[in-house]
Amino acid sequence: MTEDSAEYLQRKEFYNRMLTVYGRKPVLEVLQDNSLEIHKLHLADSNKPAAILDDMVKLAKKRGIEVCYHDKQALSRISKNSKQDQGVAADVIGKGFQSHQSFLSSNKKHYRILALDGVTNPQNVGMIIRSACASPIDAIILPEKGCAKLDPLVIKASTGTLFRAPILRCKTLASCLKAFAESGADIIGLDANAPHTLGEEPLTGAKVFVLGNETEGLSSDVRAICNKHVSIPMLNNVESLNVAVTASLIAFQGALQSAQ
C-alpha cells in the first residue's frame, strides 16, 4: 500500500477523525453517550478488578464496540499518557474532524476558519471549541504541535462539544497555513496594534483568522505567513481580550452582522 494509494489516503483520513480519550471517568462518559461513535475500547490486562471497568466492558459489548486488551506498555503507546490513563483508553470518532487537506480538496470559495497558534491553556482551547461549535464558523485548525493537547481537560472545558466541532487536524500550523495561503485564502493575524479592525474585514471570501499564544501572541513564523492583521477596538485603556473571548467574537461576527 503506497502513500498515494486510495486505500492509504482513506485510512489516513479515518485516523484523522479519531481522538483517543484516556482515564476511567472520561472513558466511561464517552461510552455512556450514545451519540458518539467509538471505534475501540482499550484496557490494560494488568488492571485490578473494579466495578467501573466492568461497566465499561458491559457498555462496549452492548453497543458492539470492540474491546482490546494490552500490556501496560502497549496501552501507554495508545493513550500517549501513561501517568494518567489509569489503564483505559477509547478511540472516539469526531463527527466534524478531518485533515486540512481534505477540507481544501472541497474547493470552497467562501469560508471562515479559526487557527490556534500556541494556545496552551486547556481551558481556553476548550472554550474556543465550544464557541466555534455553536457558531457559523466553518472550522478550527488545531495543530498537533504547539497547542494544548486534546485531553480530558479540554474535553471538560468544551462541555463535550469537542466531538461535534468542525476541527481540522495538522502536524504544524505554519505548514497548514501555507497550504491555505497557496489555495488563495487570506491569512489574518489578530494583533492589538494592527491599524485595521476586525469589523473592517469583509465577511465574504476565504479567510483564516489566527489567534496567538496567551502571553506572546503570534509566533514569528506564523506572523510571516499572515498577509493581513486586524485588531479589535478597545476602550477604557483595556489592552487586550482573553483569547477565547476573541475567538467568540470572530466566530459569531457573521451571524451578528447578518441579524442587524
Side-chain angles (χ1 to χ4, degrees), residues 9-244:
L9 293 174
Q10 187 177 22
R11 181 175 296 183
K12 183 179 179 181
E13 194 59 34
F14 173 77
Y15 283 108
N16 276 322
R17 295 180 58 222
M18 192 166 69
L19 176 66
T20 300
V21 178
Y22 57 83
R24 297 190 178 188
K25 185 177 179 181
V27 169
L28 180 62
E29 287 176 350
V30 298
L31 286 168
Q32 290 171 330
D33 188 342
N34 291 325
S35 69
L36 298 179
E37 180 183 353
I38 299 175
H39 180 52
K40 291 180 181 179
L41 170 64
H42 303 280
L43 298 172
D45 52 22
S46 59
N47 285 334
K48 295 180 180 180
I52 192 171
L53 297 177
D54 294 338
D55 290 341
M56 289 180 194
V57 173
K58 289 177 183 177
L59 284 167
K61 290 182 176 179
K62 183 179 179 180
R63 296 183 56 183
I65 298 165
E66 182 179 357
V67 181
C68 304
Y69 292 88
H70 312 269
D71 61 42
K72 194 172 182 179
Q73 290 71 27
L75 184 72
S76 68
R77 288 194 292 270
I78 293 169
S79 71
K80 296 182 174 61
N81 195 325
S82 60
K83 294 182 179 180
Q84 297 180 342
D85 65 30
Q86 299 177 305
V88 301
D91 298 324
V92 183
I93 306 300
K95 292 180 180 180
F97 285 27
Q98 61 179 311
S99 66
H100 72 280
Q101 296 97 331
S102 178
F103 182 93
L104 285 170
S105 68
S106 65
N107 295 316
K108 293 182 178 180
K109 302 300 181 185
H110 301 279
Y111 56 78
R112 293 168 67 84
I113 290 176
L114 293 174
L116 306 191
D117 177 26
V119 180
T120 57
N121 185 305
Q123 185 77 15
N124 283 334
V125 173
M127 290 171 66
I128 291 169
I129 290 170
R130 182 181 181 185
S131 294
C133 190
S135 78
I137 205 83
D138 291 278
I140 321 165
I141 300 174
L142 293 177
E144 292 180 19
K145 297 181 179 180
C147 286
K149 293 183 179 180
L150 301 181
D151 61 11
L153 292 174
V154 171
I155 295 171
K156 183 178 180 181
S158 77
T159 62
T161 59
L162 169 62
F163 304 113
R164 303 192 298 274
I167 290 176
L168 306 185
R169 309 186 79 178
C170 61
K171 290 290 184 182
T172 65
L173 183 59
S175 61
C176 177
L177 292 179
K178 286 179 182 178
F180 274 93
E182 290 169 1
S183 75
D186 281 326
I187 311 300
I188 306 168
L190 270 292
D191 186 338
N193 297 315
H196 299 290
T197 67
L198 176 63
E200 295 175 74
E201 188 63 31
L203 294 176
T204 56
K207 303 178 188 298
V208 181
F209 294 89
V210 190
L211 300 165
N213 173 268
E214 290 89 341
T215 56
E216 302 297 326
L218 297 172
S219 60
S220 58
D221 56 342
V222 166
R223 182 179 289 277
I225 300 169
C226 296
N227 65 308
K228 293 183 179 181
H229 291 87
V230 297
S231 61
I232 294 175
M234 309 294 288
L235 301 178
N236 299 315
N237 295 320
V238 177
E239 293 185 0
S240 64
L241 296 173
N242 172 274
V243 65

